[in-house]
Amino acid sequence: GDSVTQTEGLVTLTKGLPVMLNCTYQTTYSPFLFWYVQHLNEAPKLLLKSSTDNKRTEHQGFYATLHKSSSSFHLQKSSVQLSDSALYFCALSENSGTYQRFGTGTKLQVVP
Amino acid sequence: NSKVIQTPRYLVKGQGQKAKMRCIPEKGHPVVFWYQQNKNNEFKFLINFQNQEVLQQIDMTEKRFSAECPSNSPCSLEIQSSEAGDSALYLCASSPDNYAEQFFGPGTRLTVL
């Protein structure tokens, strides 16, 4: 069945360094991929989305490219800030009508 | 900012008690989802609706929860007999489609003593 894998549970980085959070997925249908960010005690909110192969999508300094050949949608940022400390969830939808699948989440901790 | 409203924000119940929470989806969104987010921050899908009809639900929801999304009223999720393992953050999300981006409410944090 459909699934989403996020391999890192916790990523700790110094402010100003680049980050890549991994997301791979499995589906037999045409995928829609999402990254959500959840700050402490807040609701998750959409960060990025894509359904177009090999096209980079960007928002608030974060970017990701959907690669259908490798079933990946990794989240990147060139220089993390303290305010980027949060939980990041990758999610998969497809147009067969089943519900959106979420990965287990990656906690990003940015330190001074 | 999301306009999904969830009440109450906090709910404390004893084991065996009913626990009911409500959600008003964003205007114009016909699809509503309920998730349980545990202490490890993992999402568990519970049930989703399109307009007033259930689209999908997991086995646990079918057996121990009751949920509805009546027209012109808030959606609701009720645990019939709370268990300690039900302590979690319950998130409601709405969407224009079953596979589009979701807009989340702030959640109801349930504690079962």
Side-chain angles (χ1 to χ4, degrees):
Chain A
D2 292 357
S3 65
V4 178
T5 301
Q6 292 181 248
T7 51
E8 307 99 354
L10 171 66
V11 173
T12 302
L13 282 174
T14 303
K15 174 186 167 184
L17 290 179
V19 65
M20 185 169 85
L21 305 183
N22 290 314
C23 174
T24 56
Y25 64 90
Q26 189 172 356
T27 182
T28 54
Y29 298 91
S30 186
F32 297 78
L33 271 297
F34 306 85
W35 276 101
Y36 292 88
V37 58
Q38 186 179 22
H39 287 93
L40 188 63
N41 297 324
E42 292 185 12
K45 58 185 179 184
L46 181 73
L47 184 57
L48 293 171
K49 63 179 180 181
S50 181
S51 58
T52 305
D53 200 10
N54 297 318
K55 182 180 176 183
R56 177 164 149 160
T57 181
E58 299 187 40
H59 185 62
Q60 295 182 338
F62 286 91
Y63 58 94
T65 304
L66 176 59
H67 291 297
K68 293 184 180 181
S69 59
S70 58
S71 299
S72 67
F73 190 58
H74 304 319
L75 180 68
Q76 298 183 76
K77 191 175 187 185
S78 57
S79 174
V80 293
Q81 304 303 307
L82 294 175
S83 58
D84 294 328
S85 295
L87 283 165
Y88 292 81
F89 293 93
C90 184
L92 164 72
S93 284
E94 27 82 352
N95 56 5
S96 74
T98 61
Y99 56 87
Q100 197 164 108
R101 312 289 174 133
F102 283 78
T104 50
T106 298
K107 183 175 182 179
L108 175 62
Q109 204 168 53
V110 181
V111 297
Chain B
N1 285 335
S2 175
K3 299 175 182 66
V4 176
I5 299 170
Q6 286 190 251
T7 56
R9 292 293 307 275
Y10 300 92
L11 194 54
V12 180
K13 294 291 179 181
Q15 294 195 48
Q17 290 187 317
K18 289 189 178 185
K20 188 168 186 175
M21 53 204 86
R22 292 176 177 81
C23 170
I24 301 176
E26 197 159 322
K27 193 173 181 180
H29 286 183
V31 184
V32 174
F33 301 80
W34 285 99
Y35 295 93
Q36 181 193 66
Q37 189 176 28
N38 65 21
K39 61 181 180 181
N40 296 320
N41 296 311
E42 296 163 339
F43 278 69
K44 178 189 280 187
F45 167 82
L46 296 175
I47 190 169
N48 59 347
F49 292 83
Q50 179 145 6
N51 298 313
Q52 291 78 53
E53 301 297 319
V54 174
L55 289 175
Q56 294 159 299
Q57 61 182 320
I58 63 171
D59 191 50
M60 178 180 85
T61 308
E62 199 168 344
K63 288 179 179 173
R64 297 203 303 113
F65 292 57
S66 63
E68 60 177 2
C69 263
S71 60
N72 301 316
S73 290
C75 297
S76 65
L77 178 72
E78 184 173 37
I79 305 173
Q80 296 302 305
S81 179
S82 301
E83 301 172 357
D86 296 329
S87 295
L89 182 67
Y90 289 82
L91 289 164
C92 175
S94 70
S95 180
D97 269 300
N98 195 35
Y99 54 85
E101 66 198 74
Q102 296 181 18
F103 296 81
F104 286 85
T108 293
R109 186 166 295 282
L110 172 66
T111 302
V112 182
L113 301 174

